[in-house]
Amino acid sequence: MHITPRRVLKILLQKGILDKEKAERIEFESLKNDIPIAEYLFKNTTIDKKDILASLSDLMKVPYVDIATSALDPQALGFVSELIARKYVIIPVRYDAQNETVTIATTDPFDISVSDFLERKTGKKIVLALGYRDDIKKTIDLAYSQSLTPEVKEALKEVQVMELIKEPESSGAVIKEAPISKIVNTILEFAVKSRASDIHIEPEQNKTRVRYRIDGILHDKLTLPLGIHNAIVSRIKILSEMKIDERRIPQDGRFYFRLGEEEDDLRISTLPTVNGEKVVLRLLKKTGGLPSLSELGLRGTPLKSLEEAILKPYGIVLVTGPTGSGKTTTLYSILSILNKPSVNIITLEDPVEYQIPGVNQVQINPQAGLTFSTGLRSILRQDPNIVLVGEIRDKETTQLTIQASLTGHLVFSTLHTSDAATAIPRLIDLGGEPFLIASVLNASLAQRIVRRICNYCKMTYEPPEEVQKNIKLILGDLLSKPYLEGRPIQLVKGEGCDECEHTGYLGRIATFEVLKITPSINTMILKQATSREIEEQAKKEGLITMVQDGYLKALDGITTIEEILRVTEI
């Protein structure tokens, strides 16, 4: 089907994706360089691939699929060999068992000879969907070589042979069979190899989706037939010692998983949904030790301010940030520095994420009456030097924490606030007296986690003028002299490679701000100043904000401006 540039661009104009001026420029460049419009849009513009595919799909009246964001379906892949996939540049995307239909991504959805050949070969109905050639080729390499899919594919064949596709009985005999164990093991092994922090196993209307959180971002990696969902959930429940026959209420459990030299502690949570039980597995590494403060991303003035605060004999140090911002890891790293035979460290946590030798760690249990407040009362009778309270949630815990620091203990805790300065008004809201907070607060630290640029495919570039102006505005005097004198700013980004799965990022690091409690800040606490006023005063005294710390890391080629803006929501 011949597609003229004007027809494609008209759809993009109607959808508000392009303006008229840009559309005319793209049409001119495409015709001038004799490049097909679809290829030009994919390779020479920043328009989202999904928008381009959707527009082409509208024009051609065929379905489309964005391969880059689609999970691999082992059942679908089983119908087409690697040789055929490479020969015709196609990739099976999903299999609908009910209608016996295989959806296949291709660059030419009108190729009847390919669909006829595949229907004869597979004995299934074939639906050809439009896909982007480069993504199809990339996915062929990934799908037929990656350890996740071929092993699951083989296990699924065994499942079908043994008729395990039916819902398992509560006896647990069926789910112990090798194929289901093999699928669960493969899912776990892939998580360890890909450095995932969480695995989501989610039942949908007619399939089960497996997603991995890698470097803080969820990625679709696998789809499984819904028929084996309960068997997989039951296998995980057996490993984590949960009740197999209880599917109406959420459950929690844990178990250990070893792959080679690496051992992981897995925390399991199940949740009943309308389609079945969703399972989330959190992986916590038991090997490799805790990172140092500098490895986490603390450096320069913030690191010095925090070290001064944690070396005081008593007082409170608060770590703030949303869920998943790395607060617990930072606190554990601090405790590992302070952990000596001469001090007694006791923690009160929900849950205990890492076990630190030499530290007395307590798991709270509200059902048994062990809460942060009741546990803190008991802890203070255990002659501690250093106390970690997992989170300050209520008035009683706030007052007990302040009391503990007043009686000569060094107390660490967390709060859910957006920045370091907001922690102070939040403590007052929770029932802390301003004059007591002023006398015991050593420091307030806020943090976010950003992805690191992949070292294997990093490249330097000069950002647009408006980005350079923004960097200079945010950093001000923190910029080095050459930049202040007008030298163009150079930034780094990842082009995308096999090592980073073409994301441009590999690994993570935190961006911090450390609010040091100086005499002037103390005076402001007593006057119950707003967080904005406290932050402004702290900036005059040398506070490097989270955004500034992130921008400095971007200038050093560690992360990108886009990542900083993503996590700090500026």
Side-chain angles (χ1 to χ4, degrees), residues 135-156:
D135 282 347
I136 293 172
K137 285 182 172 178
K138 208 179 288 175
T139 310
I140 290 170
D141 292 337
L142 185 70
Y144 293 99
S145 65
Q146 169 188 100
S147 62
L148 180 67
T149 309
E151 290 189 24
V152 172
K153 201 162 68 182
E154 288 305 310
L156 281 172

Side-chain angles (χ1 to χ4, degrees), residues 145-401:
S145 65
Q146 169 188 100
S147 62
L148 180 67
T149 309
E151 290 189 24
V152 172
K153 201 162 68 182
E154 288 305 310
L156 281 172
K157 283 180 187 172
E158 291 179 49
V159 169
Q160 288 163 340
V161 169
M162 298 169 73
E163 295 185 341
L164 280 173
I165 210 78
K166 293 175 185 173
E167 192 164 312
E169 299 299 321
S170 60
S171 65
V174 174
I175 58 162
K176 287 182 182 177
E177 296 288 358
I180 295 298
S181 298
K182 201 181 287 180
I183 289 171
V184 172
N185 277 353
T186 305
I187 288 169
L188 294 175
E189 281 177 22
F190 185 80
V192 174
K193 287 174 185 172
S194 59
R195 304 170 294 103
S197 60
D198 302 84
I199 309 167
H200 292 241
I201 301 172
E202 303 167 321
E204 295 185 349
Q205 208 164 354
N206 45 30
K207 67 177 188 289
T208 291
R209 177 166 69 155
V210 181
R211 295 194 289 170
Y212 293 83
R213 190 175 292 281
I214 302 167
D215 292 337
I217 307 291
L218 275 172
H219 298 271
D220 264 8
K221 289 291 179 187
L222 188 64
T223 60
L224 297 167
L226 190 61
I228 63 164
H229 179 80
N230 285 334
I232 287 170
V233 173
S234 296
R235 174 65 186 158
I236 292 166
K237 282 182 174 179
I238 282 181
L239 292 169
S240 46
E241 298 180 354
M242 294 184 203
K243 293 178 182 174
I244 303 172
D245 55 348
E246 181 54 86
R247 296 177 185 173
R248 299 162 301 166
I249 58 170
Q251 293 188 68
D252 294 300
R254 67 195 308 162
F255 66 90
Y256 299 111
F257 180 74
R258 182 185 284 277
L259 181 65
E261 295 296 308
E262 187 170 326
E263 189 176 358
D264 286 79
D265 184 4
L266 282 93
R267 281 206 338 253
I268 321 300
S269 170
T270 68
L271 183 74
T273 71
V274 290
N275 294 315
E277 282 183 288
K278 173 178 175 174
V279 183
V280 174
L281 301 92
R282 167 150 293 189
L283 287 84
L284 303 161
K285 288 193 188 336
K286 294 189 74 180
T287 49
L290 287 163
S292 66
L293 293 177
S294 57
E295 285 169 342
L296 288 175
L298 273 158
R299 54 193 193 163
T301 306
L303 177 59
K304 188 169 177 286
S305 299
L306 182 62
E307 284 174 340
E308 285 173 8
I310 68 175
L311 293 173
K312 289 183 179 178
Y314 65 91
I316 299 174
V317 175
L318 292 173
V319 180
T320 74
T323 303
S325 58
K327 299 187 296 292
T328 305
T329 304
T330 299
L331 284 170
Y332 282 174
S333 294
I334 292 169
L335 289 186
S336 66
I337 294 167
L338 302 174
N339 187 13
K340 296 179 178 66
S342 57
V343 295
N344 178 21
I345 303 175
I346 305 180
T347 74
L348 196 58
E349 304 172 62
D350 180 28
V352 174
E353 292 198 2
Y354 300 92
Q355 291 179 10
I356 310 171
V359 175
N360 305 285
Q361 293 171 272
V362 180
Q363 164 77 55
I364 74 159
N365 186 353
Q367 291 173 328
L370 179 57
T371 62
F372 282 123
S373 52
T374 58
L376 191 48
R377 288 180 194 278
S378 303
I379 280 175
L380 295 176
R381 293 195 286 272
Q382 290 281 320
D383 184 34
N385 300 99
I386 297 166
V387 176
L388 166 63
V389 182
E391 188 184 337
I392 296 175
R393 293 178 182 171
D394 52 43
K395 186 176 181 179
E396 193 178 3
T397 309
T398 305
Q399 292 174 342
L400 283 168
T401 302

Side-chain angles (χ1 to χ4, degrees), residues 527-545:
K527 290 178 181 175
Q528 295 193 40
T530 65
S531 58
R532 178 68 62 87
E533 290 167 342
I534 291 169
E535 187 177 293
E536 287 306 315
Q537 178 58 35
K539 282 180 182 176
K540 290 173 189 172
E541 297 177 10
L543 171 74
I544 296 173
T545 67

